[in-house]
Amino acid sequence: MIAENDKILVAVSGGKDSLSLLDILSERRKFLPISYELHAVHIITKDVPYEIDQEFLTKFCEQLDVHLHIIRTYAGIEEKPNKKPCFTCSWNRRKELFDFAQKNQFKKVAFGHHLDDAIETLLMNMVMHANISSIPPTLSMFDGNINVIRPLIYNTNAEMIEYARIKQFVSLKKECPYEDHTYRNKARQWINQFEKLNVQARINLFKSMSHIDSDYLPS
Ligand SMILES: Nc1ncnc2c1ncn2[C@@H]1O[C@H](COP(=O)(O)OP(=O)(O)OP(=O)(O)O)[C@@H](O)[C@H]1O
């Protein structure tokens, strides 16, 4: 995922996972036999009525010796009443993020998604969109100019909660008034139920994405 001389842009929302991701990637620079450049970016969408504690994030990045870029954007949520605010906001955030990465020669962009995010997305895509897909550990985009990496994808949410607890990270994120977790919360509940049937259910759902037996699926 990470190679010698990589220039990596870490997308930091202010949530526990992206704060932990930045911390881990920064710590690893001290003992890995490769060197890489690390920057953080936080996107503020001005027409979403909440902001994180920027002063804290700035100090956090300073302590890690990571340069923080703050991008302010405007998603035009009110001008797109036919679209869900969450869709408009996250589409615009990604556009800003990738435009910034390309303009500043970042070949790798790191997100804080973990294993639970991946299996929730898998189940939601199957149930809502009749499609078997999720969020991959790495993804080549823009004709190979940018590689999205998700270094936490093999870690469970429980592990990330424990990491944030040990490091005493407090999530800077407040609940967004537009955010709708209905389907994701449902997927989380199903996974918890599956885990009661089999303690390995969470890991097995993740592993199943690499064990597709196409001979036993409809063509
Ligand atoms: N405002 C933002 N600025 C920069 N990156 C962001 C922002 N919001 C989300 N991201 C990136 O997208 C990933 C997934 O976003 P999502 O909103 O699902 O995460 P979260 O659960 O709110 O926060 P986190 O994953 O940091 O705990 C984050 O881990 C982060 O890498």
Side-chain angles (χ1 to χ4, degrees):
M1 241 184 232
I2 297 178
E4 173 79 11
N5 293 331
D6 271 348
K7 192 176 167 193
I8 305 167
L9 184 63
V10 184
V12 180
S13 69
K16 72 170 195 331
D17 303 320
S18 48
L19 289 177
S20 298
L21 172 64
L22 190 62
D23 181 72
I24 291 165
L25 292 183
S26 171
E27 281 291 312
R28 285 168 67 92
R29 288 189 296 190
K30 296 178 191 158
F31 58 84
L32 279 186
I34 54 166
S35 59
Y36 51 87
E37 204 179 315
L38 211 52
H39 290 235
V41 64
H42 175 68
I43 318 264
I44 296 170
T45 307
K46 285 189 270 183
D47 45 341
V48 172
Y50 87 95
E51 276 193 22
I52 63 152
D53 183 346
Q54 265 182 66
E55 208 182 307
F56 177 93
L57 186 59
T58 304
K59 281 197 189 125
F60 184 80
C61 290
E62 272 169 19
Q63 279 163 11
L64 299 178
D65 196 19
V66 170
H67 189 89
L68 171 67
H69 306 267
I70 302 261
I71 299 175
R72 285 166 205 280
T73 180
Y74 183 75
I77 287 169
E78 307 256 301
E79 291 139 37
K80 293 170 194 146
N82 298 333
K83 299 247 186 261
K84 283 192 171 176
C86 252
F87 173 84
T88 308
C89 178
S90 73
W91 189 91
N92 191 61
R93 189 171 62 226
R94 296 221 165 195
K95 185 184 177 304
E96 291 290 334
L97 186 65
F98 290 127
D99 281 354
F100 178 83
Q102 282 186 299
K103 272 187 208 136
N104 293 281
Q105 286 85 44
F106 287 98
K107 295 255 179 237
K108 290 194 178 161
V109 176
F111 288 104
H113 298 108
H114 49 55
L115 184 143
D116 290 61
D117 292 324
I119 58 175
E120 287 159 14
T121 306
L122 170 71
L123 291 179
M124 287 194 296
N125 284 347
M126 289 172 80
V127 173
M128 306 306 295
H129 305 297
N131 148 333
I132 299 183
S133 65
S134 180
I135 40 179
T138 61
L139 183 66
S140 173
M141 296 177 78
F142 308 105
D143 294 328
N145 281 323
I146 291 197
N147 279 292
V148 165
I149 59 169
R150 296 186 169 95
L152 304 180
I153 206 78
Y154 302 108
N155 291 102
T156 60
N157 186 39
E159 286 168 337
M160 296 321 301
I161 290 174
E162 183 59 5
Y163 188 83
R165 189 192 64 77
I166 292 166
K167 290 286 198 149
Q168 298 183 319
F169 294 156
V170 178
S171 174
L172 306 177
K173 280 198 78 179
K174 300 179 202 96
E175 190 62 30
C176 172
Y178 291 126
E179 216 151 17
D180 180 4
H181 291 302
T182 317
Y183 295 133
R184 194 162 284 277
N185 284 343
K186 279 275 171 232
R188 250 170 232 165
Q189 286 168 16
W190 300 329
I191 294 163
N192 289 339
Q193 290 296 322
F194 294 151
E195 208 168 33
K196 285 185 187 152
L197 294 174
N198 177 8
V199 284
Q200 291 298 319
R202 203 169 293 268
I203 305 296
N204 283 352
L205 275 168
F206 188 81
K207 283 186 181 167
S208 72
M209 290 188 276
S210 314
H211 298 151
I212 309 263
D213 206 341
S214 55
D215 288 347
Y216 287 86
L217 288 172
S219 49

